[in-house]
Amino acid sequence: MRQKIVAGNWKCNTNLQEGVELAKAVDTLVANEGADDVVVVLGTPFTHITKVVETVNTDRIGVAAQNCAAEAKGAYTGEVSAEMVKSTGAEYVILGHSERREYYGETSETLNKKVALALENGLTPIYCCGEALEIREAGTQNEFVKKQLDETVFQLSANDFKKIVIAYEPIWAIGTGVTASSEQAQEIHAFIRSAIAEKFGNEIAEETSILYGGSCKPTNAKELFANKDVDGGLIGGAALKAEDFIGIINGF
Ligand code: PGA
């Protein structure tokens, strides 16, 4: 069944103590107020994962890494492998975020290796795609996103593709305060779902969760999540305040 998912992406924010406090606050709010049918995920820095897994009720809240290495193991100083992430108790890994593509040179080739290792280790990739402002202004966002998917996750077998979550994140909306309108989000989400259907068939397309990311807040979550092809959100800034995050979770 297609899942409703709200995933926080804390990015490079919070020290360990602050992160644990935030996780505790989210855990309490989710236990008291969170709708049962929404899967909640916290995407924390690597250093926090083990502690956050210990802090939250993991039957209710999943934990994600924000990246993993493109190699399984070995002499790759500073890298954290998918196996290491999995061994902490994390269940998800955010891959292909535009900040990683832009600032750390991640290409489709690297991402294919990361997705494969994540899947081999039983992690669920939350795979990000999305266009920059110039592309949106030129009106070629569908082609751009389709190419990002064609070069990466559309290369997977149907069986593996079923295990991933897609996050559509227009770069012009990330951290800018500018959100895609509800119509813009629905339009491209429907396009992504139709591209999945073309590649893997209707059944898989209907079951794939497609999240929206980019300045999603408690005030606009309801309108965004009301769309039939928007299955939740990948939340940056608003995931750093437990009250805002629960407001978004309860946007369904
Ligand atoms: P934002 O970030 O909610 O701060 O715009 C979203 C993301 O980059 O995942």
Side-chain angles (χ1 to χ4, degrees), residues 14-117:
T14 73
N15 64 28
L16 179 59
Q17 290 72 28
E18 290 162 349
V20 168
E21 284 310 308
L22 176 57
K24 257 189 216 159
V26 170
D27 188 58
T28 305
L29 287 170
V30 168
N32 295 337
E33 306 172 25
D36 284 345
D37 63 340
V38 181
V39 175
V40 178
V41 178
L42 299 179
T44 81
F46 287 129
T47 43
H48 303 17
I49 299 177
T50 309
K51 274 277 181 200
V52 170
V53 166
E54 281 168 19
T55 302
V56 300
N57 171 9
T58 48
D59 289 339
R60 187 63 195 87
I61 297 178
V63 182
Q66 300 169 20
N67 181 28
C68 70
E71 308 297 337
K73 60 154 95 168
Y76 302 101
T77 302
E79 288 293 281
V80 176
S81 72
E83 187 186 354
M84 292 172 194
V85 171
K86 178 69 181 182
S87 70
T88 62
E91 295 171 86
Y92 298 83
V93 57
I94 300 168
L95 290 175
H97 192 283
S98 58
E99 288 154 12
R100 298 229 38 105
R101 294 179 193 255
E102 191 181 340
Y103 308 141
Y104 302 98
E106 288 196 352
T107 60
S108 294
E109 201 186 354
T110 346
L111 288 168
N112 284 336
K113 292 194 197 174
K114 294 186 178 195
V115 170
L117 285 163

Side-chain angles (χ1 to χ4, degrees), residues 9 11 97 99 169 173-176 213-216 234-238:
N9 174 11
K11 308 191 180 182
H97 192 283
E99 288 154 12
E169 298 208 306
I174 297 177
T176 58
S215 300
C216 187
L234 182 55
I235 318 300

